[in-house]
Amino acid sequence: MNIIGYSKALYTTWIYYSPERILFDAGECVSTLMNNKVYAIKHIFLSHGHVDHISGLWSLINTRNNAMGDRGKDLNIYYPKGNKGIEEYLSFIQKVNSDLRFNLKIFPVEDGEEVVLRNSKQNKKFVKAFRVKHTQSEKSLGFHIFEERKRLKEKFKNLSQEEITELARTKGSDFITTKYYSKILTFSGDTYLLKKSDIEDTEILFHECTFLNKEDRKYNNHATIEDIVELVKGTKIKKLILYHISGRYARKIDRVMAEYKNQIEEIELYYIKPDKLFKL
Ligand SMILES: [Zn+2]
Ligand SMILES: [Zn+2]
């Protein structure tokens, strides 16, 4: 299991991606439902300051400070730079938990900024923040995870497997390969809709999907299933995970999703049901 999450529009959203020990957003009940797994979290990326995305943070920090677990590990929190609401909230949490037994590090991030997750010779990964369209008053970010990979240099593409093996043996693998960064995951935060250029080359896309019926959307600040399905057609996405779904659709969600699934058969479609803990 790599992913665990809970999400219901207006109430709460949090998604934990265990391979990088990243929590995306921290809505209410995150510490209750993650239980002692809260100690595994290394990074928390907050997409914006709406209550349903940050209200579980205080409890999470308190749990991690007082429950039985390894308190030695640092916890890093990243949030959109200049967000006064989040800054006030974080300073309140630090005031009331002045005797924290672990290192709480807080970093404001901007559109385009990169956060290094690991930087060893074999394994380089970073998160890159990007601006998303949500509400007028709230600066909102999405996040990509990038991983360094290697591929065969263009000029060796026509060689046979034997010739490639021979070259690698005599000249070393760095001689025949070139490095590139692959987008392995994208988290949308809350948004009207992501841009195609942001998501067409990602492997796992978490996209908010508040509305399963376009007519229910009153303002242009949340996404609809119809628009998302159009957006992902013809992309390289392998897994699409929809979250932030309104509780009003709880009874018909499976039926609606089955209809859209047929339109994007090449993509694995998952959705986080409101009121149900999601695991993958
Ligand atoms: Zn929200
Ligand atoms: Zn929001």
Side-chain angles (χ1 to χ4, degrees):
M1 190 193 65
N2 286 339
I3 296 160
I4 169 170
Y6 194 84
S7 181
K8 178 180 175 178
L10 199 65
Y11 291 84
T12 181
T13 285
W14 58 267
I15 289 163
Y16 180 62
Y17 180 66
S18 69
E20 298 308 322
R21 294 166 54 198
I22 290 176
L23 180 72
F24 292 106
D25 286 338
E28 67 176 26
C29 71
V30 56
S31 56
T32 311
L33 295 175
M34 280 192 74
N35 211 336
N36 58 1
K37 282 199 205 73
V38 294
Y39 287 99
I41 302 166
K42 188 171 178 190
H43 308 282
I44 301 178
F45 285 87
L46 301 174
S47 63
H48 65 302
H50 285 159
V51 176
D52 53 320
H53 298 257
I54 61 168
S55 62
L57 199 59
W58 184 16
S59 170
L60 191 157
I61 289 169
N62 185 61
T63 308
R64 196 155 145 153
N65 202 34
N66 294 307
M68 298 291 283
D70 180 0
R71 301 197 189 96
K73 293 178 199 148
D74 294 357
L75 180 64
N76 304 310
I77 299 179
Y78 309 86
Y79 71 95
K81 190 174 182 176
N83 189 307
K84 292 278 173 287
I86 293 180
E87 281 167 2
E88 290 279 342
Y89 181 48
L90 289 172
S91 101
F92 162 78
I93 291 173
Q94 285 173 303
K95 256 180 234 161
V96 292
N97 294 281
S98 55
D99 56 346
L100 276 185
R101 285 180 273 195
F102 60 92
N103 250 333
L104 180 65
K105 297 181 181 167
I106 295 168
F107 306 93
V109 291
E110 287 185 276
D111 177 21
E113 197 168 329
E114 293 174 7
V115 174
V116 176
L117 299 173
R118 62 191 78 223
N119 193 6
S120 67
K121 200 155 182 269
Q122 296 82 12
N123 200 346
K124 277 187 190 148
K125 277 184 188 161
F126 64 90
V127 169
K128 187 170 185 174
F130 65 105
R131 189 78 186 256
V132 303
K133 179 178 185 275
H134 184 32
T135 63
Q136 284 284 328
S137 55
E138 190 70 22
K139 188 167 129 189
S140 304
L141 296 175
F143 302 103
H144 300 298
I145 301 178
F146 284 91
E147 180 180 57
E148 187 182 83
R149 291 188 183 162
K150 286 177 182 175
R151 64 183 157 213
L152 196 64
K153 281 179 185 161
E154 205 60 44
K155 59 181 174 184
F156 298 129
K157 284 268 162 70
N158 295 325
L159 297 183
S160 70
Q161 190 54 52
E162 287 78 32
E163 289 170 313
I164 292 169
T165 312
E166 182 57 17
L167 264 182
R169 196 181 62 78
T170 52
K171 308 252 185 181
S173 69
D174 286 349
F175 179 76
I176 57 165
T177 56
T178 177
K179 288 175 185 169
Y180 71 103
Y181 284 100
S182 178
K183 207 182 271 176
I184 57 173
L185 185 149
T186 298
F187 175 76
S188 76
D190 274 6
T191 186
Y192 172 70
L193 190 67
L194 292 185
K195 291 192 215 119
K196 196 141 195 157
S197 55
D198 278 325
I199 57 97
E200 59 192 346
D201 51 354
T202 196
E203 288 176 21
I204 304 172
L205 172 61
F206 287 89
H207 203 298
E208 80 115 290
C209 181
T210 306
F211 297 107
L212 301 190
N213 184 352
K214 212 167 188 166
E215 281 76 56
D216 295 338
R217 179 167 66 182
K218 304 274 187 299
Y219 310 100
N220 288 340
N221 49 15
H222 287 290
T224 72
I225 176 80
E226 234 177 303
D227 288 351
I228 299 166
V229 166
E230 277 310 308
L231 175 77
V232 300
K233 279 180 186 168
T235 62
K236 291 178 184 160
I237 295 166
K238 290 181 184 149
K239 287 186 172 68
L240 171 63
I241 302 165
L242 303 174
Y243 66 94
H244 205 274
I245 297 168
S246 166
R248 80 187 82 180
Y249 306 115
R251 294 222 321 253
K252 64 175 198 176
I253 188 168
D254 291 332
R255 193 160 30 89
V256 174
M257 290 297 177
E259 280 170 30
Y260 284 100
K261 210 171 186 138
N262 294 330
Q263 298 184 33
I264 44 169
E265 277 172 337
E266 63 290 352
I267 300 174
E268 290 171 44
L269 174 67
Y270 302 91
Y271 45 99
I272 302 185
K273 289 183 180 184
D275 302 321
K276 198 166 185 296
L277 185 66
F278 176 83
K279 289 179 186 175
L280 184 66

